[in-house]
């Protein structure tokens, strides 16, 4: 029986090669796209789930009041970790983590910008990063110990045994290699090339590491199995009052498995992957699959009249309805099976390109393949069943007497096909519209005025303490180079979040958190920033070291119509506002411009010391070589690290651009699959109306009128699809806009372009197919059948 089903199924597929090919190609592309998106979604949701007891490991999130609103962020003061373990028996273990980029030198060869995590000795017990060499209980106990990743150890030492060898940092600290750890997998937020102790970081900087001062750390805790994290949260307010009286701080615990997708609303963070974006990709995968299935259903029901006589004859000679249903399901599953085989070939071909685009390492055989072993049969049964269920039930329900008398009505199936085509056009329009909007938004981000001139502005990082000591001499030497227009120092450069401190503005009784930027006297001229009120800093005014310049947002927040002369207290010092600078974006466009204080400070103890160099753009490459030589003269170990701010701006949004490009790619694939279905349906419809076309042509109908007649039904469907898609587009765009503080609103032109694109695509396909039928000799058409 099964052999007979298979034989008939293959014969029918072979006899209708064109329609079979359209179904197979459409399903194969749809399955390929869905598999790739599935791998991506699975990877995003798998972050940090590989750690043992990952369900009991949490990151501490601080809750602090910021100008009347509650701000949450993952950065904690140094004493927090040990205090948590001491005060709460529910906490088994803690570890603090501070990410840092360092230069490591071995035998006169320097390896720049090594990703180093400063951690507690408990880090390797808390998280599952297997050691290749060393004992996880002891490798991070020594004050100056360092554990290298497998790749970094190989890059530095080659075939030498790294254990016990010394590495020198840019601040002349000696680190002893005590262990080698496997490279961290791609699906973890802990991306590092080396691990060292918290003490190494503390001894590198001149800070007051206390409850209300100094750099901040991520703090991780592991709870007892019976501990409820939500109940533990209720104890944190009293805990902070105990150690930092009057701070009004609080906190809660965030599961580490949620860090990757649920941290985009935190303050002080870079662009994070967002849960909504991953879900959007999952929805696109479903849409693509549905469009491919719709193609199958449409073409199957369209060909129902051809299959009706076959069904009628089989029923007359005794075939049971269940046997007919099995036959149609067999045909469907054969198409799906062939499509799956082709889809996997396409995945192997295109997955490397997707990995390059997303900077991922997705593959079909990642980790344990049992998920695919379980999912594929379900996938096969589900897709095959969805594709076949309506055609099988519909075709097997035909009354054999009516069929053989030619009394079969096509109204029901015609309505179904119309509804499915409307759905396809709706999805296609939705994807086209969102794609157009995403292009507009990305272009807006790229071209938006930042409040300073980005072109030919390079930020040179001075990581060496010797270079920072000689920064004034270095600045003057760079300023005398041909091609250099201006130079200014700052504690950071725009593009990433600035640090925040507690300040008490005039008329305030309690300090509020305000962002801070430390600069020298030439900063505003170098950055080409505009002073809106008052003045900037002047080297001739020595008292300017006790003066502040604020941005427009801060003046508005404080409701200072005339800020000049107002005072702001920091600890026991009082500073006078001398100027208001025009707002500039020192963070990403996902966040609104925040209040900012700018102060002059020429001390070497900056959080992150930068020389901002304005070039004339005529010979930037040679100027950079000369700047490097000047830095090397001050310190041979200084690694020349610089970034052009216009290029850095693009790097910040690299993930955004990648997401946009990937969205465009899969939207294009979905539209192509819809076009395949429309192509097949238009071809079949034109063939079914060949006799009608022949008669109309014989009676004098023009080619133009016949083309309009054939396209008219699709035109109305197209309008209906666009009308339905419009509110969905607005909803989707507004959901996306929630991720940005600055965005463009969806404009009518988006819908116009979307309608025109779908109209051109549909018209091209329908008219291309119809023209071939219309141009036939009407005499041949009238002899049809």
């Amino acid at each position: 029986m099964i052999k007979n089903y298979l034989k008939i199924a293959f014969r029918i597929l072979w006899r209708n090669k064109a329609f079979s090919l359209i179904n197979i190609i459409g399903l194969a592309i749809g399955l390929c796209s869905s598999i790739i998106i599935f791998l991506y979604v699975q990877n995003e949701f798998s972050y940090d789930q590989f750690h043992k007891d990952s369900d009991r490991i949490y990151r501490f999130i601080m809750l602090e009041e910021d100008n009347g609103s509650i701000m949450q962020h993952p950065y904690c003061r140094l004493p927090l970790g040990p205090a948590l373990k001491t005060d709460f028996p529910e906490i088994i273990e803690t570890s603090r983590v501070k990410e840092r980029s360092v230069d490591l030198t071995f035998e006169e060869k320097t390896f720049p910008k090594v990703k180093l995590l400063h951690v507690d000795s408990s880090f390797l017990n808390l998280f599952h990063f297997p050691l290749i060499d060393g004992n996880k209980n002891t490798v991070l106990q020594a004050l100056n110990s360092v554990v290298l990743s497998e790749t970094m150890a190989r890059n530095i030492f080659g075939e030498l045994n790294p254990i016990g060898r010394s590495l020198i940092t840019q601040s002349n600290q000696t680190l002893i290699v005590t262990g080698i750890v496997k490279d961290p997998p791609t699906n973890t937020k802990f991306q590092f090339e080396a691990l060292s102790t918290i003490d190494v970081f503390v001894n590198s900087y001149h800070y007051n590491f206390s409850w209300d001062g100094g750099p901040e750390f991520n703090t991780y805790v592991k709870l007892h199995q019976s501990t409820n994290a939500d109940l533990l949260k209720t104890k944190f307010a009293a805990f902070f009052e105990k150690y930092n009286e009057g701070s009004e701080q609080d906190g809660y615990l965030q599961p580490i498995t949620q860090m990757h997708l649920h941290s985009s609303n935190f303050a002080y963070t870079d662009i994070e992957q967002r849960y909504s974006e991953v879900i959007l990709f999952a929805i696109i995968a479903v849409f693509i699959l549905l469009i491919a299935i719709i193609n199958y259903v449409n073409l199957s029901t369209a060909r129902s009249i051809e299959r009706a006589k076959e069904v009628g004859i089989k029923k007359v000679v005794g075939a049971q309805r269940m046997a007919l249903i099995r036959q149609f399901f067999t045909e469907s599953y054969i198409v799906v099976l062939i499509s799956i085989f082709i889809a996997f070939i396409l995945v192997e071909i295109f997955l490397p390109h997707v990995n390059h685009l997303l900077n991922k390492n997705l593959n079909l055989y990642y980790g344990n393949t049992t998920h695919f072993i379980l999912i594929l049969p379900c996938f096969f049964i589900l897709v095959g069943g969805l594709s076949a269920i309506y055609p099988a039930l519909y075709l097997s329900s035909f009354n054999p007497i009516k069929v053989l008398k030619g009394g079969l009505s096509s109204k029901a199936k015609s309505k179904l096909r119309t509804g499915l085509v409307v759905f396809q056009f709706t999805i296609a329009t939705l994807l086209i519209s969102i794609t157009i909007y995403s292009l507009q938004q990305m272009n807006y981000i790229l071209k938006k005025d930042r409040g300073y001139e980005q072109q030919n502005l390079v930020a040179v990082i001075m990581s060496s303490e010797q270079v920072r000591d000689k920064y004034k001499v270095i600045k003057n030497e760079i300023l005398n180079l041909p091609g250099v227009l201006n130079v200014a120092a700052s504690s950071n450069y725009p593009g990433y979040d600035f640090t925040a401190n507690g300040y008490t503005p005039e008329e305030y009784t309690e300090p509020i958190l305000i962002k801070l930027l430390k600069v020298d006297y030439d900063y505003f001229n170098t950055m080409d920033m505009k002073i809106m009120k008052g003045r900037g800093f002047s080297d001739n005014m020595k008292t300017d070291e006790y003066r502040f310049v604020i941005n427009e947002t801060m003046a508005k927040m404080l409701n200072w119509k005339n800020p000049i002369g107002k005072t702001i207290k920091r600890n026991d010092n009082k500073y006078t506002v001398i100027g208001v600078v025009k707002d500039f974006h020192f963070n990403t466009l996902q966040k609104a411009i925040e209040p900012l204080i700018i102060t002059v400070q020429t001390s070497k103890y900056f959080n992150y010391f930068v020389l901002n160099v304005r070039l004339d753009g005529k010979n930037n490459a040679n100027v950079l070589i000369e700047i490097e030589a000047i830095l090397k003269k001050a310190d041979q170990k200084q690694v020349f690290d610089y970034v052009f701010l216009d290029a850095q701006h693009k790097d910040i949004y690299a993930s955004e651009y990648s997401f946009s490009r990937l969205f465009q790619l899969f939207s294009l694939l979905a539209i192509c699959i819809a076009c395949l279905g429309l192509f097949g349906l238009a071809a079949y419809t034109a063939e079914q109306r060949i006799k009608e076309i022949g008669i109309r042509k014989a009676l004098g109908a023009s080619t133009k009128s016949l083309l309009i007649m054939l396209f008219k039904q699709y035109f109305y469907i197209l309008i209906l699809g666009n009308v339905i898609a419009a509110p969905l587009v607005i909803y989707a765009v507004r959901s996306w806009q929630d991720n940005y503080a600055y965005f463009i609103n969806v404009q009518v032109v988006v819908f116009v372009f979307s309608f025109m694109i779908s109209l051109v695509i549909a018209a091209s396909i329908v008219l291309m197919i119809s023209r071939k039928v219309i141009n036939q000799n009407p005499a041949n058409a009238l002899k049809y059948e």
Side-chain angles (χ1 to χ4, degrees):
M1 181 67 72
I2 295 176
K3 181 180 178 182
N4 186 51
Y5 285 151
L6 292 173
K7 187 185 295 184
I8 294 172
F10 276 111
R11 284 177 179 174
I12 290 172
L13 291 175
W14 184 255
R15 188 168 66 237
N16 300 280
K17 290 186 282 290
F19 293 108
S20 299
L21 191 62
I22 288 173
N23 278 329
I24 289 170
I25 292 175
L27 274 176
I29 296 174
L31 289 170
C32 170
S33 303
S34 299
I35 290 170
I36 291 175
I37 294 175
F38 166 79
L39 291 173
Y40 168 75
V41 172
Q42 182 208 36
N43 177 265
E44 295 300 307
F45 277 100
S46 70
Y47 267 65
D48 288 303
Q49 291 187 357
F50 60 88
H51 301 292
K52 184 181 179 182
D53 300 325
S54 62
D55 60 326
R56 292 194 281 137
I57 304 175
Y58 297 82
R59 177 172 65 170
F60 198 94
I61 303 300
M62 294 292 300
L63 296 174
E64 297 180 306
E65 186 176 351
D66 180 27
N67 303 326
S69 61
I70 299 299
M71 175 180 64
Q72 52 182 337
H73 62 81
Y75 301 115
C76 314
R77 300 300 184 185
L78 186 69
L80 177 67
L84 285 171
K85 188 176 180 181
T86 301
D87 284 32
F88 296 104
E90 300 94 331
I91 296 175
I92 300 174
E93 193 60 88
T94 66
S95 180
R96 296 159 295 180
V97 176
K98 180 70 174 180
E99 185 177 348
R100 183 182 169 206
S101 179
V102 299
D103 304 333
L104 296 178
T105 301
F106 174 68
E107 294 182 348
E108 304 303 322
K109 184 176 181 181
T110 299
F111 298 85
K113 301 179 75 171
V114 175
K115 294 179 182 177
L116 174 70
L117 296 184
H118 292 283
V119 299
D120 286 310
S121 58
S122 56
F123 180 81
L124 292 173
N125 286 316
L126 193 60
F127 300 104
H128 182 66
F129 295 109
L131 284 168
I132 297 173
D133 197 345
N135 186 319
K136 67 178 182 179
N137 296 314
T138 59
V139 289
L140 289 170
Q141 284 187 347
L143 172 66
N144 60 340
S145 59
V146 63
V147 177
L148 298 178
S149 70
E150 187 176 7
T151 299
M152 182 52 61
R154 191 183 306 115
N155 290 343
I156 295 176
F157 298 106
E159 298 301 321
L160 296 175
N161 181 9
I163 305 300
R165 298 186 184 273
S166 300
L167 296 170
I168 310 299
T169 69
Q170 69 264 31
S171 54
N172 285 325
Q173 287 179 295
T174 300
L175 304 180
I176 306 299
V177 180
T178 56
I180 307 298
V181 65
K182 283 188 177 180
D183 292 339
T186 57
N187 60 335
T188 177
K189 295 299 288 181
F190 301 97
Q191 293 298 326
F192 60 86
E193 295 171 305
L195 300 171
S196 189
T197 64
I198 291 289
D199 294 319
V200 169
F201 180 82
V202 171
N203 294 335
S204 299
Y205 293 94
H206 304 270
Y207 290 117
N208 172 30
F209 291 92
S210 64
W211 282 96
D212 60 353
E216 298 175 314
F217 300 75
N218 284 168
T219 300
Y220 299 89
V221 303
K222 183 176 181 179
L223 305 182
H224 278 285
Q225 194 165 3
S226 59
T227 300
N228 185 307
D230 292 330
L231 290 178
L232 188 60
K233 175 187 181 299
T234 61
K235 303 178 182 180
F236 290 147
F239 166 80
F240 279 108
E241 179 64 24
K242 172 184 174 182
Y243 286 100
N244 197 12
E245 187 177 351
S247 66
E248 297 185 0
Q249 293 176 318
D250 202 351
Y252 68 92
L253 299 177
Q254 178 191 35
I256 61 164
T257 53
Q258 294 184 11
M259 291 193 305
H260 180 57
L261 295 178
H262 298 274
S263 301
S264 58
N265 61 330
F266 290 168
Y268 312 139
T269 56
D270 297 331
I271 290 179
E272 295 274 355
Q273 183 59 278
R274 290 181 292 272
Y275 177 81
S276 58
E277 291 179 351
V278 179
I279 294 301
L280 179 58
F281 266 124
I283 292 171
I284 291 176
V286 173
F287 280 164
I288 290 175
L289 206 53
L290 281 176
I291 290 173
I293 291 171
I294 285 171
N295 287 347
Y296 183 91
V297 173
N298 265 342
L299 291 177
S300 296
T301 54
R303 293 174 52 243
S304 59
I305 293 179
E306 289 182 6
R307 303 296 299 274
K309 289 183 179 179
E310 172 196 340
V311 172
I313 292 172
K314 284 183 177 180
K315 279 193 170 184
V316 168
V317 297
Q320 298 296 315
R321 186 180 184 188
M322 208 54 224
L324 293 171
I325 290 174
R326 284 195 291 269
Q327 175 63 54
F328 290 123
F329 267 93
T330 301
E331 293 174 22
S332 176
Y333 280 120
I334 287 174
V335 170
V336 173
L337 191 61
I338 296 171
S339 299
I340 287 176
F341 177 74
I342 297 173
F344 271 85
I345 295 174
L346 295 175
V347 168
E348 291 289 349
I349 293 172
F350 292 109
L351 195 56
H353 302 286
V354 174
N355 281 332
H356 177 73
L357 185 65
L358 291 176
N359 194 26
K360 296 278 187 182
N361 189 28
L362 309 176
N363 67 79
L364 286 168
Y365 319 105
Y366 168 75
N368 193 340
T369 58
T370 53
H371 61 277
F372 255 98
I373 296 172
L374 294 173
I375 288 173
L376 271 179
C378 299
F379 204 62
F380 172 71
I381 293 169
L382 179 66
V383 176
L386 287 174
S387 304
I389 190 166
Y390 182 82
L393 294 176
Y394 177 75
L395 294 173
S396 63
S397 68
F398 291 161
N399 186 313
I401 297 174
K402 285 187 177 181
V403 168
L404 295 176
K405 283 184 175 181
L408 183 66
S409 171
S410 63
K411 288 184 179 179
K413 67 180 189 305
S414 177
K415 289 180 180 179
L416 173 73
R417 286 203 308 275
T418 300
L420 293 176
V421 173
V422 168
F423 178 81
Q424 281 187 312
F425 274 125
T426 300
I427 299 303
T429 301
L430 176 66
L431 294 175
I432 291 171
S433 299
I434 295 177
T435 299
I436 293 172
Y437 177 80
S438 71
L439 290 171
Q440 289 181 325
Q441 177 67 13
M442 289 300 104
N443 187 59
Y444 170 77
I445 288 174
L446 189 62
K447 295 184 177 180
K448 189 179 188 306
D449 180 19
R450 289 297 186 276
Y452 61 93
E453 179 54 55
Q454 296 182 89
Q455 295 296 322
N456 297 313
L457 182 62
V458 60
V460 179
I461 314 302
M462 296 192 295
S463 55
S464 163
E465 191 168 337
Q466 290 90 327
V467 171
R468 291 199 296 270
D469 282 340
K470 304 171 185 175
Y471 112 85
K472 287 186 177 179
V473 175
I474 292 171
K475 174 183 173 180
N476 289 329
E477 288 184 19
I478 294 175
L479 195 56
N480 290 327
L481 294 175
V484 174
L485 301 179
N486 217 331
V487 183
S490 63
S491 58
N492 210 330
Y493 56 90
Y496 296 101
D497 212 348
F498 293 169
T499 187
N501 292 315
Y503 295 90
T504 308
E506 187 175 308
E507 301 170 0
Y508 278 66
T509 57
E510 295 293 332
I512 58 177
L513 281 174
I514 302 174
K515 298 296 174 65
L516 174 70
L517 176 65
K518 302 174 184 177
V519 302
D520 72 3
Y521 297 101
D522 299 313
Y523 186 76
F524 296 121
N525 288 334
T526 301
M527 301 297 287
D528 196 14
M529 292 178 177
K530 186 177 180 181
I531 300 296
M532 305 301 291
K533 292 181 180 179
R535 63 176 178 85
F537 300 115
S538 173
D539 199 7
N540 298 323
M541 304 287 290
K542 298 304 179 184
T543 56
D544 277 2
E545 289 198 24
Y546 302 95
R547 303 290 184 262
F548 282 164
V549 171
I550 64 175
N551 66 350
E552 292 176 298
T553 296
M554 183 168 175
K556 291 175 185 175
M557 180 198 74
L558 298 174
N559 199 26
W560 285 352
K561 295 182 179 179
N562 185 16
I564 310 305
K566 297 284 188 179
T567 59
I568 300 173
K569 287 180 65 178
R570 167 66 175 162
N571 297 328
D572 296 328
N573 298 317
K574 185 179 288 188
Y575 298 82
T576 303
V577 176
I578 61 170
V580 178
V581 66
K582 182 180 178 181
D583 278 340
F584 66 95
H585 291 276
F586 55 87
N587 211 325
T588 70
L589 293 187
Q590 289 179 320
K591 299 178 181 179
I593 294 176
E594 298 175 87
L596 177 68
I597 288 175
I598 304 173
T599 180
V600 162
Q601 185 173 339
T602 56
S603 167
K604 68 179 180 180
Y605 301 128
F606 279 93
N607 293 332
Y608 193 36
F609 206 9
V610 178
L611 276 180
N612 305 279
V613 183
R614 173 73 65 187
L615 306 177
D616 63 10
K618 295 178 181 177
N619 198 357
N620 289 350
N622 287 341
V623 176
L624 290 174
I625 292 173
E626 295 183 69
I627 293 175
E628 180 179 14
I630 293 172
L631 294 176
K632 288 289 185 182
K633 186 172 65 174
D635 181 4
Q636 284 295 324
K637 295 179 181 178
Q638 165 76 37
V639 176
F640 188 48
D641 186 10
Y642 67 92
V643 58
F644 279 94
L645 291 196
D646 54 348
Q648 174 254 7
H649 170 63
K650 294 178 182 178
D651 291 340
I652 290 174
Y653 294 97
S655 62
E656 299 284 298
Y657 292 129
S658 296
F659 174 83
S660 179
R661 288 195 295 269
L662 199 64
F663 183 87
Q664 294 160 24
L665 171 64
F666 285 115
S667 296
L668 180 62
L669 286 174
I671 294 164
C672 289
I673 296 169
C675 289
L676 272 176
L678 183 61
F679 181 89
L681 194 59
Y684 185 82
T685 303
E687 287 183 12
Q688 291 299 305
R689 300 183 70 175
I690 193 168
K691 186 179 289 186
E692 176 193 347
I693 291 169
I695 293 171
R696 288 178 180 273
K697 200 169 183 181
L699 294 175
S702 65
T703 299
K704 179 181 177 181
S705 64
L706 292 173
L707 288 173
I708 292 174
M709 176 194 72
L710 291 173
F711 179 68
K712 187 165 61 175
Q713 59 177 319
Y714 296 104
F715 181 75
Y716 294 134
I717 290 173
L718 186 63
I719 291 177
L720 182 58
N722 275 264
V723 169
I724 296 173
L728 298 177
V729 171
I730 293 172
Y731 175 79
V733 166
R734 285 181 178 172
S735 298
W736 192 17
Q737 288 172 347
D738 289 340
N739 298 317
Y740 291 91
Y742 303 93
F743 52 81
I744 55 171
N745 289 312
V746 61
Q747 300 169 334
V748 176
V749 69
V750 170
F751 299 106
V752 173
F753 279 165
S754 178
F755 177 75
M756 294 304 297
I757 290 171
S758 53
L759 179 65
V760 169
I761 291 173
S764 301
I765 292 172
V766 173
L767 298 181
M768 179 178 65
I769 295 297
S770 303
R771 195 173 185 85
K772 181 181 176 182
V773 176
I774 291 170
N775 287 337
Q776 289 185 12
N777 190 319
N780 295 332
L782 294 175
K783 288 192 289 184
Y784 180 63
E785 292 186 342

